Coordinates of all heavy atoms in Angstrom, one line a residue:
D5 N 10.9 -3.9 -28.7 CA 11.9 -3.2 -29.5 C 12.9 -2.8 -28.4 O 12.6 -1.7 -27.7 CB 11.3 -2.1 -30.3 CG 12.3 -1.3 -31.1 OD1 13.5 -1.5 -31.0 OD2 11.9 -0.3 -31.7
C103 N 7.8 0.7 -14.7 CA 6.8 0.7 -13.5 C 6.5 -0.7 -13.0 O 6.8 -1.6 -13.6 CB 5.7 1.6 -13.9 SG 4.4 0.5 -14.9
W176 N -15.5 18.7 1.6 CA -16.4 19.7 2.2 C -17.2 20.4 1.1 O -18.4 20.7 1.1 CB -15.5 20.7 2.8 CG -16.4 21.8 3.4 CD1 -16.6 23.2 2.9 CD2 -17.1 21.9 4.7 NE1 -17.3 23.8 3.8 CE2 -17.6 23.2 4.9 CE3 -17.1 20.9 5.7 CZ2 -18.4 23.4 6.0 CZ3 -17.9 21.2 6.8 CH2 -18.5 22.5 6.9
A196 N -10.0 3.9 11.6 CA -8.6 4.5 11.0 C -8.8 5.9 10.4 O -8.0 6.7 10.3 CB -8.1 3.5 9.9
V197 N -9.9 6.1 9.7 CA -10.2 7.4 9.1 C -10.7 8.4 9.9 O -10.9 9.7 9.5 CB -11.2 7.2 7.9 CG1 -12.7 7.2 8.4 CG2 -11.0 8.1 6.7
L205 N -17.8 16.1 9.5 CA -19.1 15.8 9.8 C -20.1 16.9 10.4 O -19.4 17.7 11.2 CB -19.3 14.6 10.7 CG -18.7 13.3 10.1 CD1 -18.7 12.2 11.1 CD2 -19.5 12.8 8.9

Side-chain angles (χ1 to χ4, degrees):
D5 181 2
C103 77
W176 181 264
V197 83
L205 291 171

